[in-house]
Amino acid sequence: IASTQLAFVSDRTGHKEIWLMDYDGYGQHNITNHRSIALTPRWSRDNSKIAYTSYRRGNPDLYIQSLSDNRLLSFPTFGGLTTTPAWAPDGERIAFTSSQTQDPEIYVSDIRGRNLKRLTNSRGVDISPVWNPKTGLEIAFVSDRSGSPQIYMMDAEGASVRRLTTEGGEAVSPSWSPDGDKIAFAWRKALTGNFDIFLIDIATGKYIQLTRDSGNNEQPVWSPDSRHIAFESSRNGGRQIFIMLANGTRQKAVTN
């Protein structure tokens, strides 16, 4: 973990830009300077590129940036919202949400935006896809098809859809562990006021709560070794990035 980095969004310059930092918070620097809104950064599997959403041309479109030379790679604009990119483990495909047909659905294409295939087809919003990094055969995502946002899973072709969170409330921001066994997510359970970070075991369906009684805790992401989780928290006022062990202990702010 000592050689890894975190990508995150910060508005410290007056605009939401994509930033990078070492796992412990050192070496913070921006990699975008669009003077607009940049969101949802996602690393490619080989760590050479970051995909993200930007409003730099007025519309929320998907961009892929090479980290070796900061060059933007070609990716088409589909119209409407294009957001929440997710790299397939093979590094050759990318899943994302597009509202090109008015209804936000999940699509997959190659990393140039070609061979586009629609995976979901339901009323409401389907968003935040994330691949099983171990097998590449399943995708977890968020859908409000049941009336509120919940975590679902489907195979990589869009079939065999099943709901993972079944206790109500709002469940968002799924992040699959590198070993493929668990999904971290943010959950505002019914009759509670805040989002907290939970884990769900894919095989058993059992939940583990990792944060509690400390503001809103959202946007969990795993470290490559499956032993740490970074997340966003409002516990100290504002919104800062924290890291913790995957059992919820040793929670520590790495931005200020």
Side-chain angles (χ1 to χ4, degrees), residues 55-175:
Y55 288 72
R56 66 190 297 245
R57 293 175 179 160
N59 193 67
D61 293 316
L62 197 63
Y63 293 83
I64 299 177
Q65 185 163 325
S66 168
L67 295 179
S68 61
D69 55 11
N70 288 331
R71 182 171 55 95
L72 288 176
L73 307 182
S74 175
F75 198 86
T77 57
F78 295 112
L81 172 79
T82 309
T83 191
T84 58
W87 299 84
D90 61 16
E92 300 298 324
R93 294 168 294 161
I94 193 164
F96 55 91
T97 288
S98 171
S99 64
Q100 56 188 275
T101 61
Q102 308 300 319
D103 199 31
E105 304 284 359
I106 293 173
Y107 293 76
V108 65
S109 72
D110 66 23
I111 63 172
R112 297 290 185 178
R114 300 168 300 200
N115 302 314
L116 186 67
K117 180 179 180 180
R118 181 170 166 175
L119 298 185
T120 60
N121 187 12
S122 69
R123 293 179 64 87
V125 177
D126 295 322
I127 200 166
S128 301
V130 58
W131 301 74
N132 182 330
K134 189 170 184 179
T135 68
L137 299 179
E138 300 92 15
I139 295 174
F141 64 101
V142 175
S143 178
D144 65 359
R145 63 187 64 186
S146 66
S148 64
Q150 301 295 328
I151 310 294
Y152 288 77
M153 191 168 79
M154 61 183 168
D155 67 30
E157 299 299 318
S160 303
V161 178
R162 66 185 179 99
R163 180 172 162 177
L164 295 180
T165 52
T166 58
E167 295 185 15
E170 299 172 62
V172 296
S173 307
S175 178

Side-chain angles (χ1 to χ4, degrees), residues 227-229 231 242-245 247-253:
R227 295 183 58 217
H228 304 79
I229 294 173
F231 61 100
F242 283 69
I243 58 173
M244 62 180 168
L245 293 181
N247 62 5
T249 62
R250 295 175 61 181
Q251 297 182 22
K252 173 188 175 183

Side-chain angles (χ1 to χ4, degrees), residues 180-194:
D181 294 339
K182 305 175 199 63
I183 290 176
F185 64 100
W187 195 6
R188 180 159 61 192
K189 299 186 76 171
L191 305 179
T192 64
N194 290 328

